[in-house]
Amino acid sequence: MDHFNTIHVSLDEGILMIKINRPDKMNALNQEVLAELGEGIRYAYDMEEVSAVIITGEGEKAFVAGADISELQELNEMNGRKFAENGQEIFSSIEQCPKPVIAAVNGFALGGGCELAMACHMRVSAPKARFGQPEVNLGIIPGYGGTQRLSQLVGKGKAFEIMMTGNMVNAPEAQSIGLINHVIGEEEDLIEYCRSLAKQIQKKAPLAISMIVDTVNAAFSNEENGYQTEANSFAACCKTEDFKEGVSAFLEKREARFTGK
Ligand code: COA
């Protein structure tokens, strides 16, 4: 666990702590951080001793201030797709982790940082933390799942506003719109709060926890397109006798007699 360059990983009382460790660059996610993050989260899958995960950022200012902008310059249409898919895959492995993953948001969570927090199962934030998807300011869009997860968490309207304006959202507002679970008080310790949350969950049945992860994620799975499913079901209704009966009854101003056929 001590061979990483850009993250710090430790295990204490079954809680795997992953700390992004580039404080001089606001913990920006370069390719090395992403790869190490992917490796770090594997411990949660592979090690029986791990029963919960906390992800946080080193230093006073930032959780993660986004993808490393200096690496973005090299992106073109071809490698841009790979860039996004690679980040999506790693964040998806966080989201699908069979053990609870809590983001302890200690400061700026912007761009890929907000996306990382959203990939975790729960988000607890320090009062000074700020959230945002400022990619639009760079002429791009969130690429690590942010367009999807932000819409899921805060609804379409707020997601559009946050992504289209690039404006930051403070911690109380983030809580009020459902982006985060909880803001700790000024006097509270963020990591201690997250550890106590993890400890509550550690007392529950591990298999049930992993199934909660699977089933909640299934509700947001893109394997089936919702609009397509709706159209298919609508079409299936149109071939039933009940559909003919319902329309006829309305036109004949009588009550319908449905048979389930
Ligand atoms: N990528 C690469 N470097 C970053 C970075 C990022 N996403 N975010 C911050 N840094 C670097 C800065 O370049 C600076 O490096 P330097 O000291 O070598 O010049 C250092 O981190 C400190 O950042 P600075 O901007 O001086 O701090 P600040 O307190 O004035 O502002 C932020 C903090 C987070 C508001 C500001 O850094 C910022 O807007 N970052 C970019 C956020 C963003 O657009 N993320 C989405 C990327 S897709």
Side-chain angles (χ1 to χ4, degrees), residues 1-241:
M1 279 191 197
D2 55 3
H3 64 283
F4 295 110
N5 286 325
T6 61
I7 64 173
H8 182 257
V9 183
S10 57
L11 180 62
D12 180 30
E13 296 181 293
I15 302 171
L16 188 77
M17 176 79 74
I18 301 179
K19 202 177 256 195
I20 317 288
N21 192 17
R22 288 185 83 208
D24 54 326
K25 292 290 176 196
M26 297 275 165
N27 297 324
L29 301 175
N30 62 17
Q31 292 306 302
E32 188 178 13
V33 181
L34 265 188
E36 293 194 342
L37 192 54
E39 211 185 311
I41 201 73
R42 287 307 319 169
Y43 286 128
Y45 281 75
D46 298 341
M47 289 172 66
E48 253 179 56
E49 311 89 286
V50 175
S51 48
V53 183
I54 296 174
I55 299 181
T56 193
E58 180 63 61
E60 291 296 306
K61 287 188 82 171
F63 173 68
V64 167
D68 190 318
I69 298 173
S70 65
E71 285 188 349
L72 297 182
Q73 284 176 320
E74 282 131 49
L75 294 186
N76 55 40
E77 194 179 356
M78 285 272 285
N79 61 18
R81 180 186 302 277
K82 277 210 177 104
F83 175 92
E85 286 172 352
N86 177 46
Q88 282 181 6
E89 193 179 317
I90 290 162
F91 284 14
S92 163
S93 74
I94 294 172
E95 184 172 59
Q96 286 163 21
C97 180
K99 326 257 170 92
V101 185
I102 303 168
V105 184
N106 54 311
F108 288 112
L110 302 175
C114 191
E115 292 174 294
L116 171 60
M118 292 192 292
C120 297
H121 300 139
M122 285 158 268
R123 286 147 292 285
V124 178
S125 116
K128 65 165 192 232
R130 301 182 80 188
F131 300 80
Q133 298 290 162
E135 288 87 349
V136 71
N137 296 327
L138 303 170
I140 49 174
I141 62 167
Y144 293 167
T147 61
Q148 306 304 294
R149 293 195 182 97
L150 187 62
S151 313
Q152 291 162 7
L153 284 167
V154 305
K156 257 169 103 171
K158 268 288 167 196
F160 276 134
E161 184 184 333
I162 290 168
M163 286 186 275
M164 286 181 175
T165 64
N167 288 342
M168 290 189 214
V169 173
N170 65 27
E173 190 189 350
Q175 183 175 15
S176 77
I177 62 176
L179 178 51
I180 59 176
N181 297 57
H182 185 72
V183 189
I184 59 157
E186 293 285 353
E187 69 297 344
E188 286 181 288
D189 183 281
L190 178 65
I191 298 301
E192 261 324 299
Y193 186 95
C194 292
R195 287 182 64 85
S196 69
L197 187 57
K199 282 180 182 167
Q200 282 181 53
I201 301 170
Q202 281 176 322
K203 292 189 190 126
K204 315 295 180 196
L207 213 58
I209 296 295
S210 74
M211 287 181 186
I212 288 170
V213 172
D214 285 350
T215 49
V216 171
N217 285 335
F220 298 102
S221 163
N222 282 335
E223 270 160 40
E224 261 186 283
N225 178 312
Y227 289 107
Q228 197 62 57
T229 305
E230 179 187 82
N232 291 344
S233 302
F234 184 86
C237 289
C238 291
K239 69 178 183 198
T240 64
E241 286 176 20

